[in-house]
Amino acid sequence: MWVPAAVCGLLALLLGLPFAGGSTPGAIDAVVAGWTAHLSPGVLRALVFPTEPYVVCALGVLAVVLCLRAGRKREAALALAVPLLAILLTAVLLKPLYDRWKNDTLVYPSGHTVSLVAVLTVLVLVTRKAFVVVLSALALLAAAAGLVGLGYHYLTDVAGGTLFAVAVVLVMWPVPRPAPAPSAG
């Protein structure tokens, strides 16, 4: 999982460079903001629902419980610790480093997105189920539209947060080992 982690991490770091130290949206940011401008505030608030701390925490608890039920204590600890690490690195290191502002707030990478995507990535790795991947992608798309539409973030902030969260989880998550073959003799 090191290669995808490295690619996501590098893309997250590079994506923010053109916007560092500024508050101007990029061309894609402006287009997506235009797409979401017609949505009502109620719809936009519903779209950002997956990023609410109590939702993210509930999803994190679900991941821990699933690990514990499967007897995977190490993964249960990581399911709790790794998203917290991603959130901490975003708030303490990356946001001040990139210094990208919107509405008097540091926005790159999106902390809303990092928290959601880190937990969703853990759930995908824990469950290894296609429907979890699909639901996670839908939750991310909804959250992205809501975050942009409400003016909390630019699309590039959401993309950077997504890439960074995936990178942190993949680099910290243990590589699954195949079950040992039964002894023939």
Side-chain angles (χ1 to χ4, degrees):
M1 287 202 261
W2 284 90
V3 172
V7 169
C8 287
L10 182 61
L11 289 174
L13 295 174
L14 293 175
L15 180 61
L17 287 178
F19 308 105
S23 60
T24 307
I28 293 173
D29 294 327
V31 168
V32 173
W35 290 345
T36 61
H38 71 281
L39 298 173
S40 73
V43 168
L44 292 170
R45 282 191 295 278
L47 292 173
V48 298
F49 178 74
T51 69
E52 293 292 341
Y54 53 87
V55 174
V56 173
C57 288
L59 293 171
V61 168
L62 174 62
V64 170
V65 168
L66 290 172
C67 289
L68 291 174
R69 285 187 65 211
R72 300 180 342 220
K73 292 178 184 175
R74 179 174 179 223
E75 287 183 15
L78 289 172
L80 181 64
V82 172
L84 292 174
L85 175 64
I87 294 164
L88 181 67
L89 288 172
T90 299
V92 174
L93 181 65
L94 293 182
K95 282 183 181 273
L97 178 69
Y98 282 95
D99 194 35
R100 185 180 197 191
W101 293 85
K102 185 171 188 180
N103 303 327
D104 298 324
T105 304
L106 288 170
V107 293
Y108 188 89
S110 164
H112 291 91
T113 305
V114 168
S115 62
L116 176 64
V117 172
V119 170
L120 292 176
T121 303
V122 166
L123 274 171
V124 166
L125 292 171
V126 166
T127 63
R128 297 186 182 112
K129 301 284 185 194
F131 79 91
V132 176
V133 173
V134 171
L135 291 175
S136 296
L138 291 173
L140 175 58
L141 289 172
L147 291 168
V148 171
L150 288 170
Y152 297 163
H153 285 285
Y154 299 112
L155 180 63
T156 48
D157 305 331
V158 174
T162 299
L163 291 164
F164 183 69
V166 170
V168 171
V169 173
L170 291 181
V171 89
M172 299 298 294
W173 204 256
V175 175
R177 296 182 195 155
S183 174

